[in-house]
């Protein structure tokens, strides 16, 4: 009978150790202190906002629009302009023919 009692005691001790390990694992998995108050989705949203702000700071500002006065093409049709444009066109056509 002594052997059966020893076996039962060993099984009880193993079960008790298993329960202790389960309680320890549960305690380690539970957030403690300040981290217990954080919501994972809320933290993720805040991180996305911070990343967007950082990206906006890194991007250069768009250039200011410069208002340039452009004369209509009809006013630029002087004979010297036409010959200049024609010579440029001829040069470009020659370069493209290469």
């Amino acid at each position: 009978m002594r052997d059966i009692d020893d076996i039962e005691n060993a099984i009880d001790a193993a079960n008790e150790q298993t329960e202790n390990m389960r309680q320890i694992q549960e305690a380690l998995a539970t957030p403690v202190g300040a981290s217990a108050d954080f919501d994972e989705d809320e933290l993720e949203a805040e991180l996305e906002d911070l990343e967007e702000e950082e990206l906006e700071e890194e991007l250069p500002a768009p250039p200011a629009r410069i208002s340039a006065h452009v004369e209509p093409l009809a006013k630029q049709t002087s004979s010297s302009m036409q010959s200049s444009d024609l010579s440029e066109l001829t040069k470009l056509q020659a370069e493209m023919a290469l």
Side-chain angles (χ1 to χ4, degrees), residues 36-90:
D37 297 334
F38 291 126
D39 178 22
E40 190 71 26
D41 294 333
E42 188 177 310
L43 287 175
E44 191 69 33
E46 185 176 349
L47 177 62
E48 286 178 17
D49 290 342
L50 290 173
E51 288 174 343
E52 285 178 19
E53 287 176 15
E54 184 178 331
L55 182 62
E56 288 174 2
E57 289 173 3
E58 290 176 4
L59 291 176
R65 289 196 165 251
I66 299 173
S67 175
H69 179 68
V70 178
E71 292 185 29
L73 187 58
K75 290 186 178 180
Q76 297 177 357
T77 57
S78 67
S79 61
S80 63
M81 281 279 210
Q82 287 178 349
S83 63
S84 167
D85 289 345
L86 185 58
S87 66
E88 281 186 53
L89 179 60
T90 307

Side-chain angles (χ1 to χ4, degrees), residues 11-31:
I11 290 173
D12 288 341
N15 287 340
E16 187 176 331
Q17 290 300 321
T18 303
E19 179 62 23
N20 288 341
M21 287 299 296
R22 186 191 62 74
Q23 289 176 354
I24 290 170
Q25 288 174 340
E26 195 175 287
L28 290 174
T30 303

